[in-house]
Amino acid sequence: MAIAAVGQLCSTANVAANLAQCQVLVRKAVEAGAKALFLPEAADYIGSSPAETISLARPVQDSEFVLGLQKEARDAGLHINVGIHEPASNDRVKNTLIWIDNTGAIVQRYQKVHLFDVDIKGGPVLKESASVEKGSEILPPFDTVLGRVGLSICFDLRFPEISLALKRQNAQIITYPSAFTVPTGRAHWETLLRARAIETQSYVIAAAQAGPHNEKRRSYGHSLIANPWGEIVAQLGDQYEEPQIAVADIDLDLLAKVRREMPLLRRTDIYPEI
């Protein structure tokens, strides 16, 4: 078994301050004996408008945030999974999830496929597509120190097709770094995450933004890790006063036991394979 740490912070438009929060989480993860740290969506910054979101984006080779985390990973010997922004074409940015290995190299990159466009009565009105370019592919799972990881981001959680496709390619861990709104978080966050874990018989690791990013936006928090039986084995609240982590053992023997004892044999003779 190996220990995974799920981190929680409150990103703002101040990139340097967001990096400092993540550096605190790196130290906490190392002290806890974690082999990998999972950070939220948009950990580098959350802007107050589409224009600000676009203006703050930097290529990874020029991003003080990414370069800082690469150094942290290298110095600590820690793998880091983190959501960032990258410039895209047509006045857009990419909502990207990268895997930084323990040498500081970026070895995987996934671009968010489903964009969050909502108008919640009495709640937030958000149109991610106003500033974000949607991704066009599911990244195949890859081997890590914890097991085979499949990457997805936030609103992707509502579409089981991605997690099922990752499971079919033998993903053992599926990530959902997020910045869930408070109304949607209260209604669906835990239910959806546990459902994805149960239906794929995989670990689900969901690092979340928490608290007020600006006057217009607040995130739900409640970062968690669920095991392949759908049990929550690590969880945080909506704390945002300081960066926090929760940790859990990733037990691949348990995963194998669940899949062996309750094989999910799909009837692809009567419905399509995903």
Side-chain angles (χ1 to χ4, degrees):
M1 291 191 289
I3 296 175
V6 60
Q8 185 162 289
L9 67 149
C10 182
S11 295
T12 66
N14 187 328
V15 176
N18 300 333
L19 174 59
Q21 290 188 76
C22 292
Q23 289 168 330
V24 170
L25 294 173
V26 168
R27 290 195 292 273
K28 290 184 176 183
V30 171
E31 290 170 0
K35 297 297 184 182
L37 169 63
F38 294 79
L39 296 172
E41 174 187 33
D44 54 348
Y45 65 86
I46 290 181
S48 59
S49 67
E52 186 172 45
T53 297
I54 294 165
S55 69
L56 289 171
R58 299 289 183 273
V60 292
Q61 65 272 18
D62 299 324
S63 167
E64 65 172 301
F65 181 87
V66 175
L67 292 171
L69 279 189
Q70 287 180 282
K71 183 179 186 302
E72 292 290 332
R74 183 168 57 250
D75 291 348
L78 182 71
H79 299 263
I80 300 175
N81 189 219
V82 58
I84 62 166
H85 299 86
E86 297 180 280
S89 58
N90 300 320
D91 292 323
R92 295 286 192 276
V93 297
K94 299 176 183 180
N95 185 331
T96 305
L97 182 58
I98 58 175
W99 186 277
I100 303 172
D101 72 11
N102 59 347
T103 71
I106 298 172
V107 295
Q108 300 289 338
R109 180 186 268 102
Y110 165 72
Q111 185 178 349
K112 187 176 183 180
V113 170
H114 299 99
L115 302 184
F116 185 58
D117 287 1
V118 297
D119 186 348
I120 305 293
K121 184 177 181 179
V125 177
L126 293 170
K127 190 173 179 62
E128 190 175 18
S129 63
S131 58
V132 178
E133 173 192 89
K134 64 184 177 182
S136 60
E137 62 178 348
I138 299 171
L139 187 72
F142 54 94
D143 293 322
T144 75
V145 66
L146 299 177
R148 284 180 61 78
V149 172
L151 302 180
S152 56
I153 301 173
C154 198
F155 199 54
D156 290 336
L157 175 60
R158 295 182 181 274
F159 302 88
E161 293 86 351
I162 288 186
S163 58
L164 292 174
L166 292 170
K167 164 59 165 43
R168 184 171 58 81
Q169 298 175 79
N170 198 32
Q172 296 166 310
I173 301 161
I174 300 175
T175 71
Y176 291 101
S178 297
F180 250 60
T181 68
V182 173
T184 58
R186 287 174 178 160
H188 302 140
W189 174 250
E190 183 178 315
T191 300
L192 286 169
L193 289 168
R194 293 185 66 198
R196 298 294 86 85
I198 293 165
E199 70 195 9
T200 64
Q201 299 176 318
S202 301
Y203 278 91
V204 162
I205 301 180
Q209 295 276 355
H213 309 289
N214 50 56
E215 293 181 355
K216 301 177 181 178
R217 186 169 174 184
R218 183 185 188 96
S219 288
Y220 178 64
H222 296 272
S223 301
L224 66 80
I225 300 175
N227 72 15
W229 194 242
E231 299 168 319
I232 296 175
V233 293
Q235 188 173 27
L236 296 168
D238 59 2
Q239 172 73 30
Y240 60 87
E241 292 178 359
E242 65 178 29
Q244 294 181 301
I245 65 164
V247 299
D249 286 318
I250 303 300
D251 185 350
L252 297 184
D253 290 337
L254 171 64
L255 182 145
K257 179 177 184 292
V258 170
R259 292 184 177 183
R260 181 177 65 251
E261 293 181 352
M262 189 181 287
L264 301 180
L265 304 177
R266 300 197 177 279
R267 289 294 307 276
T268 53
D269 57 323
I270 60 173
Y271 52 73
E273 183 176 59
I274 295 174

